[in-house]
Amino acid sequence: MTNVGRIMLAQLRSIGSRNACLAAGDVPGGPWLTRGGRTYRTGAGGSTSAAVERARAARSVTSVRAYQEVGRADLFVQVIPFASDEDARAGLAELRALPRTMPRSKGLTDVGELRAAVAPEVAGTTRVEAAEQPFVLDGEHCRTLTLWCAAGRTVVVAALGGRAEAVRWPELAQVVEAQVVALA
């Protein structure tokens, strides 16, 4: 089965699951608007790692939501439950190693390399990794900041993109902290 087929099947199997990501009104900063969201069975991308297999066996459902603060920033949050704290830490390492792509956008040029960054403190998490990726959009210098965080048996991935001077690590850390609190 193709990756697209696996994802479609995973989305069908997650029907009835609620999206665990924050509602737009609960995201710190803003005001944020929801741009889309979905749920799907964890592991839909085809991973066969032991941690993902155990999450699948536990009928884990991954939640994804995209937000926009018009004229300033875009935010992406993904919540992935695992079977144990240990599996979440292993899953974080696997997710961090996946290749990342920039969405196609008119005016997007000069996409730089994804670089590891010093991770900010994120309350409620046991492991945090961070990366930054510069790009130019409509002639403006921009960047995407990404955090991969383990919080108990859940991994939260969050990415904040926008003009370089407008997106900051403390803001992204606050979003992840709010998401972790909402999961408790």
Side-chain angles (χ1 to χ4, degrees):
M1 180 180 291
T2 67
N3 266 356
V4 172
R6 273 196 294 272
I7 290 171
M8 288 176 62
L9 184 60
Q11 284 180 303
L12 284 172
R13 289 182 174 160
S14 73
I15 289 176
S17 299
R18 79 170 184 84
N19 192 314
C21 296
L22 292 169
D26 296 330
V27 177
W32 294 98
L33 302 172
T34 300
R35 295 200 53 204
R38 66 180 182 186
T39 59
Y40 55 89
R41 291 284 305 278
T42 299
S47 172
T48 57
S49 74
V52 170
E53 290 296 328
R54 285 188 289 275
R56 243 190 236 131
R59 303 187 60 78
S60 169
V61 173
T62 294
S63 298
V64 177
R65 189 163 282 155
Y67 312 85
Q68 183 178 42
E69 186 181 8
V70 177
R72 193 186 78 81
D74 291 305
L75 174 67
F76 166 88
V77 176
Q78 183 176 25
V79 175
I80 309 122
F82 284 87
S84 69
D85 295 11
E86 208 172 282
D87 281 354
R89 288 188 295 276
L92 185 148
E94 182 179 350
L95 287 163
R96 176 67 178 88
L98 291 174
R100 297 229 349 199
T101 58
M102 292 289 289
R104 290 193 178 127
S105 180
K106 185 177 180 182
L108 179 65
T109 60
D110 299 326
V111 177
E113 293 296 317
L114 184 67
R115 302 183 299 251
V118 176
E121 296 266 335
V122 180
T125 62
T126 55
R127 181 175 174 188
V128 180
E129 293 194 25
E132 179 176 350
Q133 186 169 29
F135 60 97
V136 175
L137 181 62
D138 296 330
E140 292 192 58
H141 290 280
C142 300
R143 65 183 179 163
T144 298
L145 309 177
T146 304
L147 290 174
W148 294 262
C149 304
R153 64 178 198 90
T154 303
V155 171
V156 176
V157 181
L160 179 64
R163 291 186 317 278
E165 71 279 358
V167 295
R168 299 280 180 237
W169 287 110
E171 180 182 13
L172 186 56
Q174 284 181 329
V175 168
V176 174
E177 288 169 354
Q179 181 64 68
V180 168
V181 167
L183 294 170

